[in-house]
Amino acid sequence: MNSPRYVFMKLLPKNLESRLFGNLINLKIPVLSKLARNLFAKAYHLEMSEASKPLSAYANIGELFVRTLAPGKRPIADAEIVSPVDGRESQSGILYGENAEMIQAKGKTYSLAELLRDKELAAHFARGRFATIYLAPFNYHRIHSPVSGKLIAASYCPGTLWPVNNWSVNRVEGLFCINERITTRIAVDGGGELLLVKVGATNVGRIAVNYAPNWITNVGKLPRHAPRIDYTPQEEYRFKRGDELGRFEMGSTVILIADEILANRHPELFAKTLGKAVKMGESLL
């Protein structure tokens, strides 16, 4: 039987509510915006010693949430694949075959093809490995490249904006397949490919990527008439490990998908960090 909370969240116009909430926390109202900023920092115990600016330099919660880090706060490990974000690796595993199932939570799975909304692309990553990294509100929310390589393509999948906390992950079927998301496909230097799937969530719900400045979710800029909108770079766009790739405006989840070439090269990929907190730049090998 569905709980009242589930029914409420299902009926809530989550995208609209999130857009309104995003507008609210980005307002610059004298006194009130700074008070809200201070309460947010205190409530979530933000580690402001890592930030590039003091708390007083941020005009509101929105600016504080996408804060940058002071130089040297996230050293990049000497490893082929590093964490793209601060968070906790909640799930990882092997992608068995073309109809690979991925773990969402205990007793709940979803398919790679449904996540990508592309059966051919999913088949390309069969026999690879995946990892899910959850970002909490207190985490640093900029997204960095986990590998050195070049951009092959990207895609935007319109969707809803359920929360991505433990409550939702354990109750909402196919959560990551119904929430909207942007996927970045990278050809890794040395061979192999990696997908970086950025999943939106309730409250603001915005995802932005640096390589396509007009691609910002939940602000009314991206079309929603198709299940999937593809992006192909017009010129070569390269990343080094640790280069900033985009940002979340409010918390969410990153799913990494490595192909069979990378999985064979690194048999323990994502396994040693399962269940652990990770920092951007730390090795995932």
Side-chain angles (χ1 to χ4, degrees):
M1 182 176 179
N2 292 329
S3 68
R5 181 179 178 182
Y6 178 89
V7 174
F8 171 77
M9 287 303 303
K10 187 172 180 62
L11 295 176
L12 181 72
K14 293 175 280 296
N15 295 62
L16 176 61
E17 183 273 334
S18 297
R19 193 177 302 181
L20 293 174
F21 184 79
N23 292 338
L24 178 64
I25 67 167
N26 281 291
L27 291 175
K28 296 180 180 179
I29 304 173
V31 182
L32 289 179
S33 292
K34 292 182 178 180
L35 176 62
R37 171 204 67 193
N38 294 345
L39 291 173
F40 182 87
K42 184 176 181 180
Y44 288 106
H45 307 287
L46 300 191
E47 187 53 75
M48 294 307 299
S49 64
E50 296 183 338
S52 59
K53 301 176 184 178
L55 180 61
S56 59
Y58 302 97
N60 49 41
I61 293 175
E63 288 187 7
L64 177 61
F65 202 83
V66 295
R67 63 193 179 278
T68 56
L69 296 175
K73 291 298 181 180
R74 292 293 183 276
I76 307 303
D78 184 19
E80 186 173 29
I81 304 175
V82 301
S83 178
V85 292
D86 287 7
R88 180 173 294 276
E89 186 182 317
S90 59
Q91 303 291 344
S92 73
I94 301 172
L95 298 167
Y96 292 103
E98 295 183 4
N99 299 314
E101 291 288 314
M102 303 164 70
I103 302 169
Q104 177 175 302
K106 186 176 180 180
K108 280 189 168 31
T109 62
Y110 61 101
S111 78
L112 178 58
E114 289 175 345
L115 177 70
L116 303 176
R117 293 183 184 167
D118 187 326
K119 290 183 178 180
E120 290 185 9
L121 184 59
H124 182 81
F125 284 84
R127 296 172 296 281
R129 298 190 70 95
F130 77 93
T132 305
I133 303 175
Y134 167 71
L135 288 77
F138 58 80
N139 285 130
Y140 165 67
H141 272 74
R142 291 191 176 247
I143 308 161
H144 297 252
S145 180
V147 294
S148 293
K150 67 178 181 180
L151 176 67
I152 298 176
S155 64
Y156 163 62
C157 291
T160 187
L161 288 170
W162 281 90
V164 291
N165 52 27
N166 286 336
W167 180 87
S168 291
V169 168
N170 283 286
R171 288 168 176 80
V172 181
E173 298 291 342
L175 173 62
F176 302 131
C177 300
I178 59 176
N179 271 20
E180 63 181 23
R181 52 208 179 274
I182 291 179
T183 297
T184 304
R185 184 178 181 182
I186 304 172
V188 181
D189 291 347
E193 293 185 9
L194 184 138
L195 299 177
L196 176 58
V197 184
K198 298 156 287 295
V199 185
T202 306
N203 290 336
V204 185
R206 296 177 190 165
I207 308 165
V209 287
N210 295 1
Y211 53 81
N214 290 328
W215 272 36
I216 305 175
T217 65
N218 207 38
V219 295
K221 290 186 175 182
L222 290 171
R224 302 182 62 84
H225 62 273
R228 173 188 170 107
I229 309 297
D230 291 319
Y231 170 88
T232 303
Q234 299 303 303
E235 56 187 29
E236 185 173 271
Y237 196 108
R238 296 195 60 82
F239 308 104
K240 292 181 181 178
R241 279 179 296 114
D243 283 354
E244 187 180 313
L245 187 150
R247 66 185 183 275
F248 283 121
E249 297 187 18
M250 284 297 175
S252 196
T253 296
V254 159
I255 303 170
L256 292 174
I257 302 161
D259 70 0
E260 186 177 12
I261 294 172
L262 290 173
N264 288 340
R265 192 151 72 231
H266 304 291
E268 296 299 311
L269 179 60
F270 308 140
K272 294 179 181 178
T273 44
L274 178 60
K276 297 179 180 178
V278 293
K279 296 283 190 181
M280 191 281 289
E282 289 184 349
S283 173
L284 295 178
L285 303 182

